[in-house]
Structures are given as C-alpha cells and as structure tokens.
Amino acid sequence: MKSENIIIRGAREHNLKNINLDLPRNKLIVVTGLSGSGKSSLAFDTIYAEGQRRFVESLSSYARQFLEQLQKPDVDFISGLSPAIAIEQRSAGGNPRSTVATQTEIYDYLRLLFARIGKVHCYKCGRLIQSQSAQEIVESIMSSQANNDIQILAGLIQGKKGEHKDIFPQIQKSGFVRVRVDGKIYELPAKIKLAKYKIHNIEVVVDRLRVQPQILKRLTDSIETALKIGKGSVIIAKPTVSGDLVFSEQYACANCGISYAEINPRNFSFNSPYGACPECNGLGIKLEFDPDLIIPDKNKSINAGALEPWKRGGRGYILYYRWLIRELSIRLKFSLDEPFKKLPKSAQRAILYGSDEVVGSKPFEGLIHNLERLFNQTDSDYLKEEISKFMSSLPCPACKGARLKPESLAVKINQKNIWDISCMSIKEAVNFFSGLKLTEKEKLVSYQALKEITQKLKFCVDVGLDYLTLDRKSSTLSGGEAQRIRLATQVGSGLVGVLYVLDEPSIGLHQRDNEKLLSTLKALRDLGNTLVVVEHDQATILSADHIVDLGPGAGRHGGRVIFSGNKEELLKSRDSLTAKYIRKELAIQLPVNRRPWRNKKCIEIKGASEHNLKNIDLRFPLGTLICVTGVSGSGKSTLITDILYPALARKIYRSKLKPGAFKAISGTQEIDQVIVVDQQPIGRTPRSNPVTYTGVFAHIRDLFSQLPEARQRGYKPGRFSFNVKGGRCEACGGDGIKKIEMHFLPDVYVKCELCGGLRFNKATLDVKYKGRSIADVLEMTVEEGLELFSNIPRIKNTFEYLNDVGLGYIQLGQSATTLSGGEAQRIKLSSELCKRSTGKTLYLLDEPTTGLHFADVARLISVLQKLVERGNTVVVVEHNLEVIKCADFIIDLGPEGGDKGGELLASCSPEELIKIDRSFTGKFLKEVLREK
C-alpha cells in the first residue's frame, strides 16, 4: 500500500530532540523556527540525507564509488521517502567560465542554433560570405601562393578522440602515400599509434607541388580530389611556414580571401580551442597593466608624484626617470605641474604607451611598456610581485571581453552574434526570440533548439530572474539567485514523484516578485512532487499546505516540534513564536527617534553608471543606519558591491579592486575603515570555531598558562592549542576524531581512542580552572562560559556580545562548518562590537536577514543600532521591511529591474518614501508603517 505521508520517528541529528513527525506527500511543506533551532538538521541532514542515501544505495557498488556518499542520519525510522534533490542556497562557485547562460543550458542551445541557421559574415569587411567553387579556390591559390611550395591536404578526422586504427589502411588502399597526423607527416605504410583519449587531426596529403602557371590542370584536379575527400574543405599547408590556409566550398569571402571551415556548435564554445579567443583562452579578461593603478590620483601633477611606479626604487633610478619625463615634457610641450587629467590626451598617451620622440638616445618607451619589459626580463620574484601591483584583470584587448574568436563572432542571426545575445537580460532575450523573423526552412531546422531556449528563458522569468544578463558570471550571483536558477532548471526537467528540499528560495526577492516564486513552487508540487522548504518569509509560510515550527529556542534550547499542521491551526497556536509574530502579538518596534541626516557629513558618489545604473548622484550620510532598497535587479548590489566598496577599499587600503564606472567620490577622509559583514562561513575547516574567530581563545589559553599547575610544569599558551604539537593528542592530530575510508560506502568517523574525542593529551587536561579543563571549556555554551569567566573582563566582554546577538546557545568549540549563515554573520558582528571603536568605520551588509526568524531580525537590528550609536555608519542592502522601517535613511533604486531600473527614486526617511508613487518598496512599506 502506497504511503500518503513521510513518517519520521526518533530524529536526533545535531540538536533535534528525538522528534516524531508525519509530513503529507505531494504537498508544499514549510519548516520554520529560530535560526539554529534545527530546521536545516531536519530538512537537509535528516530528510534529504536519508532520501539521497537510499537512492544511491540502490545503485551498484561500482557506481556508488563515484558518487557523494551521505552519512546515515541519526534517526530510528523514516518511511514514505522519494528520491531527493536538494536545491541549496550555496553560491555557484568560483569558476570564471560559468555564466547564467551555461548554468541554465541556454548557451548549449544557442550554440546549436547559431551553427545551424547563423549567417556567416567576413570578420574583416563584414560582408556576407558565399560558397566557393573549386575554380575560385584554384584562382585564389594561383594568385596568393605564386612560386611557393605547397601541400594540398584533405581533412578526414578533425578534433576527435580515438585510436583511428582503420583509417590508415583505407587511405593507403585509396592510393595515397602520405598522411599528416597532428601536424606531423608520415609515409604509408607506417606504425602510427594514437592515444585513445586525446583529440587528433588526420589529413590525407593529396599532392605536393610548386605553384606555377604550367601546373594549373594538376592543381585543379588535386583541389577537386581534396574537396571530395574532405567533404567540401581543403587545407593548403606550406612546409616552411607555420599555419594552414583553409578553403571551403561552403564559406569564403571573395573580397578578403578569408575562408571558413564548416560551422559547428563547438565554434561558439569559449571552453573549446575551436571557439575560444586565443589571447585570453575564452575568459574574456587578461591580467594587464592598469592605467588607473599606475596613476591612482589623476588630480595630482607629475611633479607631485602622479606616476606611482616611478616614485619607487633606488635614488639613482628615481633621478633617471625624473630626467626622462622632464625631457619628454620639453619635447611635447606640456607642464609637469599641471594635474595629469588636464594634460593633452596626446601627452597622456605618450607618457603611458610611449612616443617616437627620442629622449636620450632612443625613443621614449612609455611607463606601461617599461613595466612590461621589466616584468618579462627580471628573474627576481620580489620585483615581479612589486610590478604586478600595477596589474589588474581588464577586458581582453583581442576579443573585447566577448571570449570568442572573430570568426565565431562574425556569425549572426538577425544581425546579432552570439555574444550580443549573451549580453542581453533574460527579459530582453525573451523579446528577441519572440520577434525572430526566419524563413520556412530556418523555422524547420531551428524548431527544437528555439523551443528549448524560449522554455528555459520563461522558467527564469517565472522565478523572478528576468533582470539577470545571460553573460553574468555565476560566481557573482547571490545565494538566492543561484538557488532560483537551479529551481528554474528543475521545473524545466518536469520530473514527477521527487522530494525537493529548498533553503529559503525567497532570499534576494522583492515582495513584488514573491508571487512568481510561489507560483513556481506550486507548479512543482502540482506535477506530483513533495516540497520541503526551509523559510522565514511570511507570505511563503501562509501559502504552505503544511507548516512545521521548531523551537522553542536555538541550539541546545531548540530541536523540538512546537507546531505541525496547516495555516489555520498555526494562527490559533499559543506556543508558536512564529504565530505570535504573524498575529502581530509580537512585533519589531519602530525607533523612537530617527537620527537626523540632512546636515551630516557624507560620502558622495557622482555619476554612478556601472551595469544598469543611470549616471546617478547619491550621498551616504555618516553616523546613520542606511538601507539600500529596490526590486530585484534594480542596481543595489552594483552600487554597493561593485562601486562603493571597491572605491573605498582603493582609497583606504590601496586595494587592487577595480570599482565600477563612476565619475567622482568625496568624503572618504571621514572614515578610516570599511568592513563587509557577510554570511560566508567564519572558517573553512572543522578546526575553526567561535572562540578562535573572535580571538578570545588566545585569552583563555593565556589564563590557563597562568594557573599554578601550568606554571609549575612550564606550560606556555601554545600548550593549550589543538593546532600545535605539545598539548594536543597526537594520535588524532587534535581533531578528536579519526576518519576510516570505506571505499564504496561513506567514510566513517570514530572518536579517537586515546583522547576520547577531547583533542588534548592527559597532561594538558590535568590543568583546570575552577574544576574545568581546556576541553571542558570548548564543550560549554556561551551562556555557561559567561558564568565561568565572569571575573575575567577580556573574556567576559566577548561572551557578553555573543550573548547579546542571540548566540548564547552555541558551543564555544563548535565547528565553523556546522554554523548556519545567520549564526556566522552574528559572530562576525559580535567580533566587531568587541573591537575598540574609532567611530569612523563603515559597515556594509548584503541581505543580513538571510536565515533569520522574526525574533532573530529584532536582535540583528539591535546590534546594527549599537554599531551606529558608536558613531559608525551601517549600509544594508535589504528587502526585509522590518529592517527597512528601522532605517534612518533609505536609498531606493528602480523602478524596475535590468534596463528599466538603475534610477535613484528616493534618498529620504521611510516616512517620506511611502509618499513616492513610483517606488514599489514604498507601497509595501506603507502597509507596515500603517500597522504601527
């Protein structure tokens, strides 16, 4: 009998307290609760892990060794599970070749489309390329290769893997005696052994001759033979010159003499040598000398030190360079006391790139060519490192960032090449393909590819991603955007009977676009799938068929089922903290008084025009809590991540980060540091934990080293570290656990037998403070640590701040890899609160409410207000209306996403924003402020 429910009994993974749950199948289930209450432990580490593990175990042992093996969760019994797919909120990785188009597979179909119906143009003169007859090829060779020795080859294998054993006897049987394999000529018969898994090129040598008028007939016969064997293509090789000439019966420019081989999908791939730009290998960027790093302040004159590289080195070098530039200024008649930006363009170009003017005994080589020469000639690693400080990743000069060869970019559909389409937003691409004008033959050939492209674009629009450009790098997507791209791909797959587990898909989505996302989730459910969604968004919670609320607290105070049922039952629940916030019994209060911002000092940006920003001027009043708002894709992250942070980092830290396009920034002298507080893990390894990150572990180790027993034994602070030899258990290297590899089964982790999982050796554990060893301290929660170290101010202060941000429940030695994003961010904020404030710090946070419950958001706002009260400035990019309503100052961008966004709609207080009709944020904020 088919089970109607997913039945869970005795789940104890992480902090779950032996919970029992019955979840309906083929429904939309939302799991909510405080940050750290056990939502991910239930959804991902129990339900998904068991569903995935069972599916993988059904495969052969041979297949299992190639797949990720998940540990069996700590649960007594689960039934009713389907094969599980997790759509997590991790970023898309750092591969520079991965883009929105490649991730959604739209690019694969675009390549196929261009290969089949693209019109080939000459990349030199832009003319449409027509097919070449054998006679035209002969005439071209006679005129361009007169009196040259040439070889006429016909391609049989082009860029294919394999040993190709059978092909050589066939060539010999056809009467040919020579063959070229991977650029090397062989006489047949010959023993030619090819590597099976490498790519090979095999061409028949049809004829070898010197091009002269008397051999015209022989040349014509040979070309016709080669075209027949090579299926319409012929290769002309010159023994003394590297590089072949390719002629084709299909494509050739009569004007420029350029011929194309057959167009294939691989010609449009920037990951293949057949399509990738040879200069940048398909990356679109190259490490080049950057004029903005060489002359960081263009308001300075040359005499005032505008030329940064020529201010360094020995006294002799500096004097020589000064003399050089002085001589150049006399010849080109420009002033060394004039600001660099006011010098004539010709003088600026000569200083950077050189001039024909002879200075000394040779032409002036220019600053950039001088640095290039030194970089290429020196053997000193130190000098190379110093010179590389003036280099940054710039668009490739050959392909201008388009990643492909000019031949590939010259293939067009409706006057657009594949890069032009990749630069479109998803919304623009939908319009382009819906208005595509094709002949009947082209419609027939492209039907399947066009259907897939339009379908995939529609799914991306449905999850609120219509503002993303197709060439956007996956590494620059937020966790929510990357997750919604994977969600769109899953909807497109049309699978039925699958268990999907999602992690806050609404993150990064404006309230206006929430309905689109909910429709997509319901469409997946209606196909016959079960969706388990970890979520805090009120609209998503109220749209669910079944809701599970975990709590009552977080960490060891959580892990219990407070509520499990439908929306109507939730709203009646007296125990659920979530229900109290939804019923408005509990609420985040508005600030009593907003900080005045009109006459404050500010950081001002003029002419911000990166991506879709419309040349906007804006100010950030210092000493206030600022919210940057707007619909998804309106330019918020571009403004903060691509312009404000890199510009300030350059000014304050001399960073190499290149800011996006803007004209000027002022007021930077009013701050002394800029800090990004994100939700990235506080450490990449299990050895990293809250006390090591905040630095308080150093004080705890100092305290232990001062104890009488430690001093008597001569123990130093290093004795109490699990990272260095001496005090740690050497059997497990201070890990407390050992890994046993099980090959096709998941690896097993067992407690170290020698230290019993305590990480330290017996002698170290003998030293105790108030009856607690260093291992006991790492097992404590923050609350317990606060009590134990109440008389040690340096330690107590850090623990108080951790407790204030709502992390009293976490273990002091809890592995960084087990902390949620919200917990990691609050540890970073508490670490900042511990530092002595200068009152001149600018904090940047991008959607800090990710993973936070209503109650956690209240704590977060309290921490941010504390930072501002110390005189600092906090800038938050946020969609959460509870945070927006507490801001002193709002910068609202819009009105739409993509090209229809990027305008400054408002820079004012929340009360003023709700009066602006064009602002979508204002419309939703009006409801929230009205409730108060």
Side-chain angles (χ1 to χ4, degrees):
M1 182 182 159
K2 186 183 171 185
S3 172
E4 293 299 316
N5 291 326
I6 297 169
I7 300 163
I8 301 166
R9 296 289 180 264
R12 293 177 296 276
E13 191 68 18
H14 296 147
N15 66 332
L16 296 179
K17 303 288 194 300
N18 202 34
I19 65 173
N20 301 323
L21 263 177
D22 287 17
L23 302 174
R25 283 168 56 83
N26 303 335
K27 299 290 181 189
L28 173 56
I29 302 159
V30 165
V31 181
T32 188
L34 287 167
S35 178
S37 60
K39 302 181 300 298
S40 294
S41 298
L42 173 64
F44 286 95
D45 301 332
T46 304
I47 297 172
Y48 165 68
E50 184 65 6
Q52 176 71 347
R53 188 188 67 81
R54 288 184 189 179
F55 171 67
V56 170
E57 279 197 356
S58 69
L59 305 173
S60 69
S61 58
Y62 176 75
R64 293 209 299 271
Q65 66 185 333
F66 300 108
L67 296 168
E68 181 191 5
Q69 297 278 302
L70 293 173
Q71 288 285 339
K72 183 169 175 29
D74 189 1
V75 60
D76 293 336
F77 170 80
I78 300 186
S79 71
L81 282 177
S82 308
I85 294 174
I87 307 177
E88 294 177 79
Q89 206 198 89
R90 62 180 190 273
S91 62
N95 187 344
R97 295 179 181 276
S98 177
T99 66
V100 169
T102 58
Q103 212 180 334
T104 52
E105 295 175 9
I106 290 169
Y107 198 76
D108 295 333
Y109 290 102
L110 272 179
R111 293 194 292 119
L112 181 62
L113 190 70
F114 270 83
R116 297 296 170 256
I117 66 165
K119 290 195 166 48
V120 183
H121 293 73
C122 173
Y123 64 85
K124 278 194 176 174
C125 65
R127 294 185 187 185
L128 192 65
I129 287 182
Q130 305 297 330
S131 61
Q132 262 178 318
S133 66
Q135 189 58 41
E136 286 170 326
I137 294 171
V138 170
E139 285 171 8
S140 178
I141 293 169
M142 289 296 289
S143 60
S144 65
Q145 304 299 324
N147 297 314
N148 287 341
D149 289 325
I150 64 166
Q151 293 176 339
I152 300 168
L153 299 100
L156 289 175
I157 301 292
Q158 291 290 313
K160 288 183 181 175
K161 293 178 184 177
E163 294 179 332
H164 307 294
K165 287 178 183 174
D166 301 336
I167 205 158
F168 301 113
Q170 285 174 17
I171 292 168
Q172 203 176 350
K173 202 182 281 182
S174 302
F176 298 104
V177 292
R178 289 181 190 82
V179 66
R180 189 174 77 168
V181 180
D182 299 334
K184 190 177 177 184
I185 300 283
Y186 294 91
E187 288 205 9
L188 298 175
K191 284 186 179 178
I192 304 170
K193 193 171 183 185
L194 300 181
K196 190 174 184 179
Y197 298 107
K198 285 191 177 176
I199 288 171
H200 302 290
N201 295 318
I202 301 172
E203 296 108 8
V204 176
V205 180
V206 176
D207 202 351
R208 299 184 302 167
L209 48 82
R210 175 166 289 179
V211 180
Q212 289 175 333
Q214 59 267 33
I215 55 92
L216 181 62
K217 188 176 182 304
R218 177 179 165 186
L219 177 64
T220 306
D221 290 344
S222 299
I223 291 292
E224 285 175 352
T225 306
L227 285 170
K228 194 175 177 182
I229 297 166
K231 293 179 182 172
S233 290
V234 60
I235 300 164
I236 304 298
K238 292 180 278 185
T240 54
V241 182
S242 62
D244 298 336
L245 293 172
V246 180
F247 291 93
S248 168
E249 280 187 309
Q250 282 84 28
Y251 308 111
C253 176
N255 192 46
C256 306
I258 296 170
S259 294
Y260 280 71
E262 186 188 351
I263 301 295
N264 283 309
R266 66 185 179 188
N267 293 108
F268 303 98
S269 170
F270 44 75
N271 294 325
S272 159
Y274 293 93
C277 165
E279 280 290 308
C280 61
N281 293 321
L283 287 172
I285 52 172
K286 277 190 86 178
L287 202 60
E288 299 274 342
F289 283 99
D290 187 348
D292 290 339
L293 292 175
I294 290 167
I295 305 164
D297 188 354
K298 292 180 175 59
N299 291 312
K300 278 185 181 178
S301 68
I302 291 171
N303 275 344
L307 309 181
E308 194 66 31
W310 286 0
K311 285 161 56 178
R312 305 175 182 198
R315 188 165 176 271
Y317 281 109
I318 291 171
L319 289 173
Y320 170 67
Y321 289 134
R322 278 184 189 167
W323 171 79
L324 265 183
I325 205 78
R326 191 165 56 246
E327 289 295 310
L328 184 71
S329 71
I330 293 165
R331 283 164 174 72
L332 296 182
K333 297 181 175 56
F334 64 84
S335 169
L336 296 177
D337 294 312
E338 188 86 15
F340 187 85
K341 68 177 184 183
K342 291 187 178 175
L343 293 178
K345 294 286 182 212
S346 57
Q348 291 183 19
R349 203 176 303 111
I351 292 165
L352 286 169
Y353 299 102
S355 163
D356 292 335
E357 289 290 336
V358 176
V359 178
S361 58
K362 56 187 180 187
F364 182 76
E365 72 174 335
L367 240 164
I368 287 179
H369 292 149
N370 172 261
L371 290 171
E372 281 174 351
R373 180 172 55 78
L374 287 173
F375 188 81
N376 293 327
Q377 289 179 0
T378 184
D379 292 325
S380 163
D381 289 337
Y382 170 76
L383 188 56
K384 282 202 170 189
E385 193 178 329
E386 285 299 303
I387 294 172
S388 70
K389 289 175 182 175
F390 301 107
M391 301 169 93
S392 63
S393 294
L394 297 172
C396 167
C399 65
K400 306 289 186 291
R403 297 178 165 219
L404 296 169
K405 289 179 177 177
E407 299 94 306
S408 305
L409 295 171
V411 181
K412 297 182 179 181
I413 297 174
N414 277 24
Q415 300 307 307
K416 301 273 184 194
N417 64 31
I418 196 165
W419 177 246
D420 295 331
I421 293 172
S422 295
C423 290
M424 292 179 183
S425 67
I426 287 170
K427 194 173 187 177
E428 289 168 339
V430 168
N431 295 335
F432 174 80
F433 285 108
S434 61
L436 205 57
K437 291 180 174 63
L438 301 174
T439 64
E440 285 305 313
K441 184 190 172 188
E442 286 171 340
K443 281 179 186 172
L444 198 65
V445 171
S446 63
Y447 173 74
Q448 198 61 43
L450 271 176
K451 181 186 165 194
E452 290 289 341
I453 290 168
T454 49
Q455 227 173 26
K456 288 177 185 294
L457 288 170
K458 179 185 172 292
F459 292 138
C460 289
V461 171
D462 290 346
V463 292
L465 294 173
D466 55 352
Y467 60 89
L468 290 180
T469 55
L470 292 169
D471 69 329
R472 172 93 172 257
K473 286 185 180 176
S474 299
S475 57
T476 66
L477 297 171
S478 69
E481 286 169 337
Q483 186 181 29
R484 289 200 294 282
I485 281 180
R486 287 194 285 274
L487 181 61
T489 311
Q490 288 301 328
V491 177
S493 71
L495 287 172
V496 175
V498 175
L499 171 63
Y500 288 103
V501 185
L502 294 94
D503 184 11
E504 284 203 85
S506 69
I507 283 303
L509 207 56
H510 194 271
Q511 290 78 5
R512 188 196 67 162
D513 301 319
N514 246 1
E515 198 50 50
K516 287 181 183 174
L517 175 68
L518 290 171
S519 301
T520 305
L521 294 176
K522 288 172 182 174
L524 258 183
R525 175 201 64 190
D526 295 342
L527 280 172
N529 299 302
T530 307
L531 277 80
V532 176
V533 183
V534 175
E535 189 56 273
H536 296 290
D537 175 65
Q538 185 171 321
T540 312
I541 293 170
L542 295 178
S543 298
D545 303 314
H546 191 91
I547 301 153
V548 177
D549 191 18
L550 298 180
R556 60 177 60 183
H557 303 309
R560 292 190 170 86
V561 178
I562 303 300
F563 171 81
S564 176
N566 61 30
K567 175 179 74 175
E568 289 73 23
E569 292 166 344
L570 174 73
L571 293 173
K572 293 174 191 169
S573 171
R574 310 311 306 171
D575 301 325
S576 168
L577 190 62
T578 306
K580 288 176 183 174
Y581 274 96
I582 293 173
R583 291 195 302 261
K584 309 299 176 194
E585 287 173 21
L586 293 174
I588 296 167
Q589 298 304 315
L590 281 167
V592 181
N593 294 307
R594 297 197 195 277
R595 297 174 188 88
W597 50 266
R598 292 186 194 281
N599 300 315
K600 288 210 170 194
K601 291 177 179 175
C602 65
I603 290 171
E604 206 161 349
I605 291 177
K606 297 243 184 225
S609 55
E610 182 72 4
H611 298 322
N612 66 333
L613 293 178
K614 305 286 193 299
N615 199 30
I616 58 175
D617 300 341
L618 43 114
R619 56 198 294 267
F620 297 85
L622 299 175
T624 60
L625 175 57
I626 302 166
C627 252
V628 182
T629 64
V631 299
S632 306
S634 58
K636 304 181 299 296
S637 294
T638 298
L639 175 63
I640 302 305
T641 312
D642 297 348
I643 295 179
L644 181 64
Y645 177 68
L648 292 176
R650 266 199 170 187
K651 290 272 185 186
I652 298 166
Y653 308 126
R654 295 180 61 79
S655 158
K656 283 175 68 177
L657 283 173
K658 193 173 174 69
F662 71 99
K663 287 174 186 168
I665 184 167
S666 59
T668 53
Q669 71 281 358
E670 301 298 335
I671 60 166
D672 56 13
Q673 52 182 341
V674 56
I675 293 168
V676 177
V677 186
D678 56 23
Q679 293 208 352
Q680 293 298 316
I682 57 171
R684 298 284 176 193
T685 66
R687 289 177 178 272
S688 181
N689 57 49
V691 286
T692 57
Y693 181 83
T694 54
V696 74
F697 196 43
H699 301 316
I700 294 171
R701 290 190 289 114
D702 284 342
L703 175 67
F704 269 82
S705 68
Q706 296 299 317
L707 295 173
E709 191 163 354
R711 295 177 72 175
Q712 192 179 341
R713 297 183 183 191
Y715 291 168
K716 297 283 183 282
R719 179 83 193 188
F720 302 95
S721 167
F722 48 74
N723 288 325
V724 293
K725 285 186 176 183
R728 72 181 183 185
C729 168
E730 288 305 325
C732 61
D735 285 330
I737 53 172
K738 285 183 176 179
K739 182 169 94 167
I740 299 169
E741 289 189 10
M742 302 293 283
H743 300 292
F744 57 85
L745 289 172
D747 296 334
V748 174
Y749 291 88
V750 294
K751 268 188 184 178
C752 171
E753 291 173 0
L754 194 63
C755 67
L758 297 177
R759 308 173 90 167
F760 296 91
N761 58 34
K762 191 174 183 305
T764 308
L765 295 172
D766 285 344
V767 180
K768 296 189 177 178
Y769 173 73
K770 293 187 179 178
R772 305 291 185 104
S773 69
I774 191 76
D776 296 331
V777 169
L778 291 173
E779 288 292 315
M780 286 180 178
T781 63
V782 170
E783 290 163 343
E784 291 167 343
L786 193 53
E787 194 179 318
L788 181 69
F789 298 107
S790 57
N791 298 325
I792 317 290
R794 289 187 305 177
I795 300 172
K796 178 190 166 193
N797 290 346
T798 303
F799 288 168
E800 275 181 341
Y801 286 125
L802 282 167
N803 199 40
D804 288 348
V805 298
L807 294 177
Y809 62 88
I810 63 169
Q811 279 186 324
L812 298 179
Q814 186 173 337
S815 168
T817 54
T818 66
L819 295 167
S820 70
E823 288 168 335
Q825 186 171 44
R826 283 184 283 162
I827 288 172
K828 291 176 185 180
L829 282 169
S830 68
S831 181
E832 288 302 319
L833 286 167
C834 294
K835 295 173 185 173
R836 185 168 290 153
S837 174
T838 61
K840 295 178 80 175
T841 302
L842 178 72
Y843 293 99
L844 301 175
L845 297 92
D846 194 352
E847 294 197 69
T849 57
T850 302
L852 300 191
H853 187 266
F854 305 107
D856 298 315
V857 172
R859 284 202 186 100
L860 173 75
I861 293 168
S862 164
V863 176
L864 298 181
Q865 297 286 18
K866 273 185 190 172
L867 287 170
V868 179
E869 279 158 23
R870 295 181 175 195
N872 302 305
T873 308
V874 176
V875 179
V876 183
V877 176
E878 192 53 88
H879 291 293
N880 188 300
L881 296 169
E882 300 294 338
V883 176
I884 295 168
K885 77 180 186 188
C886 294
D888 303 312
F889 185 76
I890 293 176
I891 294 169
D892 193 41
L893 301 178
E896 298 285 341
D899 276 355
K900 292 183 180 174
E903 294 176 38
L904 179 63
L905 299 182
S907 49
C908 57
S909 67
E911 285 74 16
E912 291 169 290
L913 180 67
I914 62 175
K915 297 171 187 170
I916 294 166
D917 293 335
R918 293 180 73 206
S919 169
F920 285 106
T921 307
K923 285 174 189 169
F924 287 96
L925 188 61
K926 191 183 286 184
E927 298 298 315
V928 176
L929 292 178
R930 190 181 289 158
E931 287 168 7
K932 310 301 164 199

